[in-house]
């Protein structure tokens, strides 16, 4: 086998491979002899069809089949011989294929780029530090209290946080307009559900009161005929309901399945959950900071083959999300341009992280894998069952191992980079993330 390598452009390579005639002809002859034993042709006994007859009838198809196999086989031999790392499947071009002559073909493909990570000791990374304060736990308990609140009809004046039931009729220049009328409409004051100016006259209103709201529809309002128009809404309040918060005590704790330890046990569990979510958020933030610094300091040539694969993966993920939301049917083919930038970023990050793993000779830490599985499982009712499921599912286990390896690479970068710690509050970090 003779091999020549040519760099066509960028990461693209073209191998020209010559295979001795004897190798191909012998394979074709052997395949024809096998066919002669199995083919049934009129005038010949089974298994006794002359090879020349088989050659005449099936020779072209057999040679084409053998040539395809020869190209595949010799391509892999050639890239091993030349120590080439393809980034995708090759395009084959058969340039010479005649009986008794050497077979010649060309394989065009892209290779992985040579990735060189610049000095990690010069990377500047921001790391957020957060401590959960007593007030953070108190606010979380208030949130849980509101989530289990009920509404109770009251005779007082309405205030923000109350739920109102209203009838309204909208008009422009004294004329009612389509879509501007409703009866028994539920409205929670303070949630800004309606256009600006609608809720203000309702604060302080009681059951039976009639008020008028003067508003102007926004210029970007969804109904073309109403954009920028001034309108009046005649509103009648038919019911005012105030928020009835449950008492935060041992009985309240039972609503969350805490039957032993009462309120103190609930607070402990809530703080543990807050810490778990905070840790995950901070881990994500520092990872993003590392990746941004890496990408800023290291430019990577992205092979088109890898880019196309990633675009297709992102497109498939988008389809699945639409399907889960009930919008998967009749979905048009999403254009590649929607995903190209994100795909290029993901491939670049993967190549850089891969190089760091190789340079630092990082191997998967089984203890970290176990910790990741346990963290995931802790959010479920029966963690032990989830842990067992992950450890017996090779695909899921591989995903966790890949995640652990990536985290270890991030840790290796942080060990060498210039890390600036920034203290922030729990509310600042978690609410901004939300």
């Amino acid at each position: 086998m003779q091999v020549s390598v040519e760099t066509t452009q960028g990461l693209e390579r073209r191998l020209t491979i010559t295979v001795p005639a004897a190798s191909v002809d012998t394979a074709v002859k052997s395949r024809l002899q096998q066919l002669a034993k199995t083919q049934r042709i009129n005038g010949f006994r089974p298994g006794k069809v002359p090879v020349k007859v088989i050659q005449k009838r099936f020779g072209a198809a057999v040679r084409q089949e053998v040539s395809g196999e020869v190209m595949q086989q010799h391509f892999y031999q050639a890239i091993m011989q030349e120590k080439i790392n393809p980034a995708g499947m090759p395009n084959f071009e058969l340039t010479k294929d005649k009986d008794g002559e050497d077979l010649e073909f060309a394989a065009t493909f892209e290779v992985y780029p040579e990735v060189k990570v610049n000095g990690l000791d010069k990377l500047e990374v921001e790391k957020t530090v957060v401590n959960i304060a007593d007030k953070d736990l108190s606010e979380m308990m208030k949130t849980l209290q509101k989530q289990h609140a009920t509404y109770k009809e009251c005779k007082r004046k309405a205030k923000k946080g109350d739920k109102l039931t209203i009838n309204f009729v909208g008009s422009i220049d004294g004329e009612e307009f389509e879509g501007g009328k409703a009866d028994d409409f539920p409205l929670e004051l303070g949630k800004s559900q309606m256009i600006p100016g609608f809720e203000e006259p309702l604060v302080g209103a009681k059951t039976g009161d009639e008020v008028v709201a003067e508003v102007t529809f926004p210029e970007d309002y969804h109904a073309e005929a109403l954009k920028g128009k001034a309108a009046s809404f005649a509103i009648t309040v038919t019911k005012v309901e105030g928020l009835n918060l449950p008492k935060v005590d041992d009985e309240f704790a039972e609503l969350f399945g805490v039957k032993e330890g009462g309120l103190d046990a609930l607070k402990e569990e809530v703080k543990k959950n807050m810490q778990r979510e905070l840790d995950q958020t901070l881990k994500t933030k520092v990872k993003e900071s590392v990746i941004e610094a890496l990408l800023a300091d290291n430019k990577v040539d992205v092979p088109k083959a890898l880019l196309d694969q990633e675009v297709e993966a992102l497109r498939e993920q988008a389809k699945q999300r639409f399907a889960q939301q009930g919008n998967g049917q009749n979905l048009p083919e999403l254009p590649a341009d929607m995903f190209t930038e994100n795909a290029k970023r993901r491939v670049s990050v993967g190549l850089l992280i891969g190089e760091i793993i190789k340079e630092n000779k990082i191997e998967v830490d089984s203890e970290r894998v176990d910790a990741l599985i346990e963290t995931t499982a802790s959010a479920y009712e029966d963690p032990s069952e989830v842990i067992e499921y992950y450890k017996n599912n090779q695909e899921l286990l591989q995903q966790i191992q890949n995640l652990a390896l990536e985290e270890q690479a991030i840790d290796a970068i942080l060990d060498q980079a210039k890390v600036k710690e920034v203290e922030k509050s729990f509310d600042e970090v978690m609410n901004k993330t939300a």
Side-chain angles (χ1 to χ4, degrees):
M1 178 181 69
Q2 294 179 355
V3 180
S4 66
V5 184
E6 176 188 359
T7 298
T8 50
Q9 57 177 358
L11 298 173
E12 189 177 87
R13 301 291 184 270
R14 179 183 172 91
L15 290 184
T16 301
I17 302 170
T18 303
V19 182
S23 298
V24 183
D25 293 343
T26 299
V28 170
K29 184 177 179 181
S30 175
R31 194 74 53 89
L32 291 172
Q33 288 172 343
Q34 291 296 321
L35 274 176
K37 295 176 182 178
T38 58
Q39 292 300 309
R40 293 179 176 274
I41 297 177
N42 291 337
F44 299 97
R45 286 183 297 162
K48 299 296 182 180
V49 182
V51 174
K52 286 185 178 180
V53 174
I54 296 294
Q55 165 73 38
K56 186 175 181 181
R57 180 170 294 193
F58 301 107
V62 167
R63 186 169 184 90
Q64 184 179 17
E65 182 181 284
V66 168
S67 296
E69 294 172 3
V70 166
M71 286 192 292
Q72 289 279 357
Q73 179 185 353
H74 285 76
F75 170 73
Y76 289 114
Q77 290 178 4
I79 60 175
M80 290 175 66
Q81 173 183 306
E82 301 296 325
K83 295 181 174 58
I84 296 173
N85 190 12
M89 294 302 294
N91 289 320
F92 290 122
E93 179 189 356
L94 195 56
T95 54
K96 187 186 294 185
D97 184 22
K98 292 183 179 180
D99 291 346
E101 295 183 11
D102 292 347
L103 181 143
E104 184 180 278
F105 69 96
T108 306
F109 55 93
E110 287 180 297
V111 295
Y112 279 90
E114 289 186 14
V115 180
K116 182 66 177 175
V117 180
N118 293 326
L120 295 179
D121 57 334
K122 295 179 182 178
L123 282 186
E124 295 183 359
V125 177
E126 185 176 289
K127 184 177 182 180
T128 304
V129 178
V130 177
N131 289 311
I132 298 177
D134 290 342
K135 67 174 184 177
D136 299 320
L137 178 58
S138 178
E139 286 299 316
M140 185 60 71
M141 294 303 294
K142 288 179 183 178
T143 299
L144 295 177
Q145 187 186 26
K146 289 178 182 178
Q147 288 174 356
H148 285 76
T150 56
Y151 284 94
K152 185 178 180 180
E153 189 170 358
C154 55
K155 301 300 181 183
R156 59 169 172 76
K157 293 179 180 181
K159 62 182 181 179
K160 287 186 178 181
D162 288 346
K163 186 165 73 173
L164 275 57
T165 303
I166 59 174
N167 301 329
F168 63 82
V169 178
S171 60
I172 296 176
D173 297 330
E175 297 287 333
E176 291 185 24
F177 58 89
E178 186 178 352
K181 181 178 181 180
D183 290 331
D184 297 326
F185 185 84
L187 176 67
E188 187 174 337
L189 284 182
K191 284 293 185 73
S192 301
Q193 295 171 253
M194 312 298 280
I195 60 175
F198 188 95
E199 291 187 15
E200 279 78 350
L202 292 169
V203 176
K206 300 192 300 292
T207 300
D209 283 357
E210 296 180 355
V211 300
V212 176
E214 302 291 345
V215 304
T216 300
F217 283 94
E219 292 293 342
D220 60 352
Y221 194 67
H222 61 84
E224 188 67 34
L226 299 177
K227 290 181 177 180
K229 294 289 183 68
S232 294
F233 282 91
I235 308 170
T236 301
V237 180
T238 61
K239 188 191 292 185
V240 176
E241 294 174 281
L243 197 63
N244 185 32
L245 295 171
K247 190 175 180 181
V248 181
D249 53 15
D250 291 350
E251 190 175 333
F252 179 71
E254 290 186 14
L255 294 175
F256 298 88
V258 178
K259 297 181 179 180
E260 295 183 11
L263 184 59
D264 289 340
L266 174 61
K267 287 182 176 180
E268 186 179 337
E269 187 64 28
V270 169
K271 189 170 183 179
K272 190 187 298 180
N273 290 338
M274 290 171 67
Q275 189 67 57
R276 183 177 63 244
E277 292 180 15
L278 174 63
D279 289 344
Q280 186 57 48
T281 300
L282 294 179
K283 187 188 293 184
T284 300
K285 286 178 71 67
V286 75
K287 175 183 171 182
E288 289 172 353
S289 182
V290 166
I291 286 172
E292 288 300 327
L294 263 182
L295 290 174
D297 280 14
N298 300 274
K299 302 303 178 186
V300 180
D301 289 332
V302 175
K304 186 177 182 303
L306 297 185
L307 182 62
D308 291 344
Q309 288 175 22
E310 194 63 35
V311 164
E312 197 53 43
L314 291 172
R315 189 177 355 222
E316 190 58 36
Q317 289 173 16
K319 286 181 183 177
Q320 290 174 5
R321 285 196 298 272
F322 278 115
Q324 289 169 359
Q325 296 166 6
N327 301 320
Q329 294 181 345
N330 302 319
L331 184 69
E333 184 69 12
L334 299 171
D337 289 350
M338 286 181 61
F339 310 101
T340 302
E341 186 175 344
N342 191 18
K344 185 175 181 180
R345 174 188 170 88
R346 285 170 59 141
V347 174
S348 297
V349 171
L351 291 170
L352 288 167
I353 293 292
E355 182 62 21
I356 289 166
I357 290 171
K358 186 174 73 174
E359 282 185 2
N360 292 272
K361 298 178 181 177
I362 300 172
E363 296 182 353
V364 178
D365 181 354
S366 59
E367 290 184 5
R368 187 184 288 257
V369 171
D370 290 342
L372 285 170
I373 294 175
E374 287 170 11
T375 299
T376 302
S378 65
Y380 292 84
E381 187 175 345
D382 187 352
S384 61
E385 185 178 324
V386 177
I387 291 171
E388 188 70 18
Y389 180 71
Y390 265 82
K391 291 193 173 181
N392 288 305
N393 185 311
Q394 193 56 44
E395 185 177 346
L396 285 176
L397 184 59
Q398 184 64 55
Q399 290 176 10
I400 296 293
Q401 289 171 340
N402 290 342
L403 180 58
L405 201 57
E406 184 181 76
E407 287 189 0
Q408 289 171 241
I410 296 294
D411 287 347
I413 297 169
L414 289 171
D415 287 342
Q416 300 176 57
K418 296 177 181 177
V419 180
K420 178 185 178 183
E421 291 192 348
V422 179
E423 289 191 13
K424 293 185 180 180
S425 68
F426 178 86
D427 182 67
E428 186 179 6
V429 171
M430 298 307 288
N431 283 345
K432 280 188 177 180
T433 301

